[in-house]
Amino acid sequence: MRVLGIETSCDETGVAIYDDEMGLLSHELYSQVKLHADYGGVVPELASRDHVRKLVPLIQKALLDAHTSAGQIDGVAFTQGPGLVGALLVGSSVGRSLAYAWGVPAVGVHHMEGHLLAPMLDDPAPEFPFVALLVSGGHTMLVRVEGIGRYETLGESVDDAAGEAFDKTAKLLGLDYPGGPLLARLAESGEAGRFVFPRPMTDRPGLDFSFSGLKTFAANTIRDQGQDQQTRADIARAFQQAVVDTLVIKCRRALEQTGLKRLVIAGGVSANTSLREALAQLMKKSGGQVFYPRLEFCTDNGAMIAYAGLQRLKAGQHEALSAKARPRWPLESLVPV
């Protein structure tokens, strides 16, 4: 089976073609970072309009690069939610329309299921069951994964997601949007130990997260300590270390609670080098394994949607002609495959 995957949940337009025998045939991605940079964050209406402009040309290029004609596509997968409703409507409308025109089934994919399965695009792929840490600008959650569609949320953020806290703190430090990667780069020149930030919600049982207070702590430190370059770097390092330590502590608890030895990390923040190194050390000490998507598949992309959609299409799932966007969509509500 050969599937066209479409991702338009936020500010990146992703298109890919995945074949269940040949693997990933093409992968196209357009980022709207420059479009939203002047506003310091994503403007939903601008994001939707840019998806309209870029999506069809990207689909044409993906087909060309994959040496695939419309007649060779067996199904279309599109991100149905969660995300910005206008952006989701662009992908779902185009995806469902193409499927109807080509006479093939279409399926809506849960955005976070796409991230969760992104490590499956590489070899070796993690075997079920495992614990997944989904960590991005919009989500921070720990999930027990027994199989595709068989998910149990163990913990999640009660306020800001980790990626959101990264971006907001970066803005306080005077960094451009998106600030998360820039903060990580600034932290590389920071002095360890000059500032010590709290590790939120680690002094109590449970697996939920909270990063809003950590961002406020950073804001107060920046206000009190000034803005010379070294101080900014030291604050960035202290903030990043606090986030990493918090995520590691919660992952260790989740693994101990479930008794599992495999950990999957996915989402935009999974590209953070410090986090990868810390989790690699955690799993080495515990005798377990950790799996990541390759860097290009950490952020939103069409390849993960094509892969996840293929699994559901092969199971016989498909959308009606009236498929709608689902800006809010609990992961645990998905049907098992």
Side-chain angles (χ1 to χ4, degrees):
M1 175 175 277
R2 188 167 295 189
V3 173
L4 168 69
I6 296 172
E7 156 60 24
T8 62
S9 65
C10 190
D11 62 339
E12 286 161 319
T13 312
V15 177
I17 296 176
Y18 189 89
D19 187 285
D20 60 351
E21 294 183 356
M22 302 174 65
L24 186 64
L25 301 181
S26 65
H27 163 55
E28 303 294 333
L29 185 67
Y30 172 78
S31 175
Q32 300 177 0
V33 166
K34 292 182 180 179
L35 176 67
H36 302 288
D38 290 342
Y39 304 94
V42 178
V43 181
E45 179 64 23
L46 294 180
S48 303
R49 292 180 181 182
D50 215 35
H51 286 310
V52 171
R53 285 190 289 265
K54 298 297 192 302
L55 184 53
V56 171
L58 284 177
I59 292 172
Q60 293 172 328
K61 190 172 188 309
L63 288 168
L64 183 65
D65 291 349
H67 304 289
T68 298
S69 66
Q72 293 174 291
I73 295 296
D74 300 305
V76 178
F78 56 87
T79 302
Q80 194 170 29
L84 303 175
V85 63
L88 291 168
L89 283 170
V90 175
S92 61
S93 298
V94 172
R96 193 63 194 83
S97 298
L98 285 176
Y100 178 76
W102 294 343
V104 298
V107 66
V109 173
H110 193 291
H111 179 73
M112 297 312 293
E113 181 173 63
H115 275 303
L116 191 152
L117 298 178
M120 303 290 186
L121 292 164
D122 289 313
D123 189 30
E127 297 180 2
F128 300 114
F130 55 78
V131 171
L133 172 66
L134 301 177
V135 57
S136 66
H139 300 82
T140 301
M141 57 195 305
L142 281 162
V143 183
R144 180 187 178 116
V145 180
E146 294 291 339
I148 297 175
R150 299 168 61 195
Y151 309 127
E152 177 191 357
T153 300
L154 302 173
E156 58 190 334
S157 181
V158 299
D159 43 52
D160 288 356
E164 184 180 5
F166 261 100
D167 287 340
K168 288 181 177 179
T169 301
K171 187 174 182 179
L172 292 170
L173 288 167
L175 301 174
D176 292 334
Y177 171 85
L182 298 178
L183 186 150
R185 194 175 308 157
L186 179 63
E188 292 175 1
S189 58
E191 178 184 338
R194 179 180 174 188
F195 299 106
V196 179
F197 282 30
R199 276 58 174 165
M201 295 184 73
T202 58
D203 58 349
R204 67 189 76 174
L207 295 171
D208 286 336
F209 302 89
S210 172
F211 294 105
S212 180
L214 189 60
K215 175 201 64 185
T216 302
F217 191 95
N220 292 336
T221 305
I222 293 167
R223 181 196 62 204
D224 296 341
Q225 298 295 325
Q227 282 273 21
D228 66 89
Q229 181 65 15
Q230 187 57 50
T231 296
R232 291 169 66 244
D234 296 343
I235 291 173
R237 178 159 183 166
F239 171 83
Q240 176 176 259
Q241 193 60 54
V243 173
V244 169
D245 287 351
T246 300
L247 294 173
V248 170
I249 290 169
K250 298 288 185 172
C251 284
R252 184 177 66 243
R253 287 184 185 176
L255 292 165
E256 291 173 350
Q257 178 178 311
T258 60
L260 298 176
K261 291 291 187 178
R262 285 183 290 271
L263 179 66
V264 163
I265 317 297
V269 182
S270 68
N272 184 280
T273 302
S274 294
L275 178 60
R276 289 190 172 218
E277 291 175 350
L279 289 172
Q281 291 177 7
L282 170 67
M283 299 311 291
K284 184 177 181 180
K285 290 179 181 178
S286 65
Q289 293 176 286
V290 61
F291 299 86
Y292 310 93
R294 70 181 84 164
L295 290 177
E296 62 186 312
F297 296 145
C298 289
T299 55
D300 297 348
N301 63 87
M304 66 182 191
I305 302 304
Y307 179 84
L310 183 142
Q311 309 310 313
R312 294 194 169 275
L313 286 167
K314 288 177 69 174
Q317 298 181 24
H318 58 85
E319 301 295 334
L321 279 173
S322 59
K324 299 178 181 179
R326 302 183 67 173
R328 295 186 183 277
W329 190 3
L331 185 63
E332 291 178 315
S333 69
L334 295 180
V335 176
V337 171

